[in-house]
Amino acid sequence: MKKTVLSLLFILVLSSAGAQAKKEILYVGTFSVRGSQGIYAFSFDRTKRILKLLQTVPSLESPSYLTVHPSGKFLYSVNRGRADATDNGGSASAYGIDPKTGKLSGLNNRPSYGADPCYISIDKTGQYAFISHYNGGLVVLPIFDDGLLGSPSDAKKYVGSSVNEKRQESPHIHSAVISPDNRFLYVSDLGTDKIYIYDFDVNNGRLASAATSEVKVSPGSGPRHFTFHPSGKFAYLAEELTSSVCTFTVNKTTGALTVLEDTLKSLPPNFSGSNTSADIHTDIKGKYLYMSNRGLNALSIFSIAPTGKLALIGHQPTSGKTPRNMLIDPKGEFIFVANQDTDSIVLFRINPKTGKLVQIGKPVKVPSPVCLKLLTLP
């Protein structure tokens, strides 16, 4: 019996060590300024809470938004630079991920078939990529089994404007997010104050307007990034131009969004400077919502009620300027923040009881970081 117990303990120790040994890699997209070399990869030591540079990957100009394939085998970027000198728009790039080291190797570059690509996401099956263009609509690209990007299976163009003459003179597609069940695609248009809703046909990569094809938010608010509550019952929109949040209830059957609460302010009452909101995410349990604010240079922190409604409970300075993007750790321990204009990534620990944040360690220097993605290797 004693030997059996010792053997079991030995197995448990080995299992624990194996779990701890799994490597985590942080991939960083950048703008091509101040000496940026493209995409950066860092190993993340969760125990020591430190990032160590693993690789720099030369890329086409400004790989400004990244996404990781659901399989964990590939990474994709959208770039302001052209895939070919004859192209008129931006580009998209595919990279293979080494399963042992996390290092990237280039697979292919494709035109993105639009101007100023700013967001890329992938459907849950990993067969299609959705590319949002700030000045060129939405494009769907097939993804082959070997990770390569193909030619468009669908594309959408938009018309319209809204009340902000400088920023809303025309459509500006800023993000496209697939529903948790992979049935609907939600496309945020900063230029027309609308979210477009599509039925997604995974068999052919085509989009058709859903029964409720769009939802309009407050004039001049400027829809940017969109995220679901972990329950799937609610969704939240970062309204860039009014520095506010719009809360929706989600009809899981039809995909329709119903505004629950619009233009909830994210700034302190005494703030008088200029500000634009950017990224938005909930914690893993759906108790708190975080939104980055450029100008205030802080994360706004909201509590989430069981009804889905929000209450502003605080602000966390990001120790840098222009926090364009952030990453909520999928294990619920940390938030990584990319400060675009002070060339830094800052790590914060999440208090799970209060939602408040505490900075961990010193900022990590990266030229113009604007997108963060974390991957745990097999």
Side-chain angles (χ1 to χ4, degrees):
M1 178 63 75
K2 189 174 182 180
K3 288 183 178 180
T4 302
V5 171
L6 289 173
S7 297
L8 287 172
L9 287 172
F10 182 68
I11 291 171
L12 287 171
V13 169
L14 285 178
S15 299
S16 176
Q20 293 175 359
K22 284 193 173 182
K23 294 181 179 179
E24 294 181 272
I25 310 297
L26 181 72
Y27 298 103
V28 183
T30 68
F31 281 132
S32 297
V33 296
R34 298 188 292 278
S36 171
Q37 298 181 49
I39 298 172
Y40 290 70
F42 291 84
S43 60
F44 175 52
D45 188 319
R46 183 173 291 269
T47 303
K48 295 181 180 179
R49 302 172 179 177
I50 58 173
L51 292 167
K52 183 177 180 180
L53 183 62
L54 175 70
Q55 182 189 25
T56 56
V57 185
S59 66
L60 298 177
E61 179 189 349
S62 295
S64 60
Y65 204 86
L66 313 176
T67 192
V68 175
H69 192 273
S71 68
K73 295 180 179 180
F74 312 109
L75 179 138
Y76 299 89
S77 71
V78 286
N79 324 291
R80 292 191 175 181
R82 301 175 181 181
D84 187 274
T86 60
D87 295 334
N88 293 320
S91 58
S93 300
Y95 299 88
I97 299 175
D98 187 296
K100 293 183 179 179
T101 66
K103 290 185 176 182
L104 302 178
S105 56
L107 296 177
N108 75 330
N109 298 311
R110 297 283 305 192
S112 66
Y113 302 94
D116 302 312
C118 58
Y119 196 97
I120 181 170
S121 57
I122 298 175
D123 88 289
K124 305 297 182 183
T125 70
Q127 297 181 77
Y128 296 94
F130 309 106
I131 300 178
S132 303
H133 296 86
Y134 189 78
N135 288 307
L138 179 77
V139 172
V140 185
L141 295 185
I143 299 174
F144 298 111
D145 291 344
D146 57 4
L148 297 178
L149 292 167
S151 298
S153 60
D154 205 352
K156 301 294 180 183
K157 296 294 183 182
Y158 302 88
V159 296
S161 60
S162 194
V163 298
N164 187 317
E165 294 181 357
K166 292 183 178 180
R167 295 292 309 278
Q168 296 183 308
E169 78 296 344
S170 63
H172 296 303
I173 303 304
H174 223 308
S175 64
V177 177
I178 197 73
S179 62
D181 62 6
N182 213 48
R183 293 177 56 203
F184 305 102
L185 186 72
Y186 297 85
V187 178
S188 298
D189 185 352
L190 182 146
T192 63
D193 291 318
K194 292 180 181 180
I195 297 178
Y196 297 96
I197 307 170
Y198 296 99
D199 292 317
F200 172 56
D201 188 340
V202 72
N203 294 315
N204 56 27
R206 303 285 294 179
L207 300 169
S209 293
T212 301
S213 61
E214 63 183 53
V215 60
K216 192 167 179 63
V217 295
S218 294
S221 57
R224 183 181 170 94
H225 285 187
F226 179 88
T227 192
F228 284 96
H229 188 272
S231 69
K233 296 179 180 179
F234 313 108
Y236 302 96
L237 173 69
E239 297 174 314
E240 177 176 335
L241 303 181
T242 51
S243 303
S244 54
V245 181
C246 184
T247 302
F248 304 93
T249 57
V250 181
N251 186 317
K252 295 183 181 181
T253 302
T254 66
L257 300 176
T258 300
V259 175
L260 183 62
E261 190 174 32
D262 197 5
T263 58
L264 176 63
K265 296 299 183 182
S266 67
L267 303 176
N270 59 352
F271 181 77
S272 59
S274 61
N275 185 82
T276 54
S277 297
D279 207 8
I280 189 167
H281 300 283
T282 73
D283 72 322
I284 63 171
K285 293 185 178 179
K287 294 175 61 179
Y288 303 102
L289 181 82
Y290 301 88
M291 185 166 74
S292 63
N293 278 295
R294 301 168 294 180
L296 178 66
N297 295 324
L299 301 186
S300 297
I301 307 170
F302 301 85
S303 62
I304 304 175
T307 60
K309 287 192 173 183
L310 304 176
L312 182 63
I313 59 173
H315 299 89
Q316 174 62 53
T318 62
S319 296
K321 293 182 179 179
T322 320
R324 185 183 179 95
N325 188 248
M326 62 176 169
L327 167 71
I328 308 289
D329 168 28
K331 294 185 179 180
E333 295 183 68
F334 305 108
I335 292 181
F336 301 78
V337 178
N339 289 308
Q340 175 184 341
D341 289 337
T342 44
D343 301 338
S344 64
I345 298 170
V346 183
L347 179 65
F348 296 91
R349 179 174 55 81
I350 302 171
N351 184 324
K353 294 182 179 180
T354 67
K356 299 298 179 67
L357 307 175
V358 176
Q359 184 174 335
I360 302 296
K362 297 180 179 180
V364 174
K365 300 301 289 182
V366 181
S368 194
V370 290
C371 187
L372 306 173
K373 296 296 176 182
L374 186 68
L375 173 66
T376 301
L377 298 181

